[in-house]
Amino acid sequence: MYKILYQNPSESYETLEVEITEPIEKLKNGLRLDDHKLIGIYDYSAKKILFKCPDYDMHRHAVEEFVYDEY
């Protein structure tokens, strides 16, 4: 199971849990979030982050508990 973390226009964070059967690069390139900002993609079975946005460190403190609650 994977969790996609994004920030909506009101600057709150939301997640989408998905099962991915295609390469993560294809997912990143094909992901359409309209005016939402992709923050990260997490692999819960491997317990690792597959993708971080360039300014992920700015979001890390705000999302750490939100994202890692299932690890």
Side-chain angles (χ1 to χ4, degrees):
M1 179 65 70
Y2 297 88
K3 184 177 275 189
I4 298 172
L5 174 68
Y6 58 95
Q7 188 175 35
N8 65 32
S10 67
E11 297 189 8
S12 64
Y13 297 98
E14 296 182 34
T15 61
L16 176 64
E17 292 185 7
V18 296
E19 289 195 35
I20 301 171
T21 58
E22 55 195 55
I24 200 71
E25 287 301 318
K26 185 176 179 185
L27 174 70
K28 285 190 319 189
N29 294 333
L31 192 61
R32 299 283 179 255
L33 293 173
D34 299 323
D35 53 352
H36 294 63
K37 178 180 180 176
L38 177 61
I39 304 297
I41 301 175
Y42 307 86
D43 180 344
Y44 277 92
S45 59
K47 297 184 178 178
K48 66 179 183 177
I49 300 173
L50 300 176
F51 168 79
K52 295 179 189 179
C53 66
D55 60 349
Y56 182 82
D57 289 337
M58 289 177 34
H59 301 276
R60 184 180 181 105
H61 182 69
V63 302
E64 206 164 49
E65 289 181 27
F66 185 60
V67 170
Y68 296 105
D69 63 346
E70 296 179 27
Y71 271 4

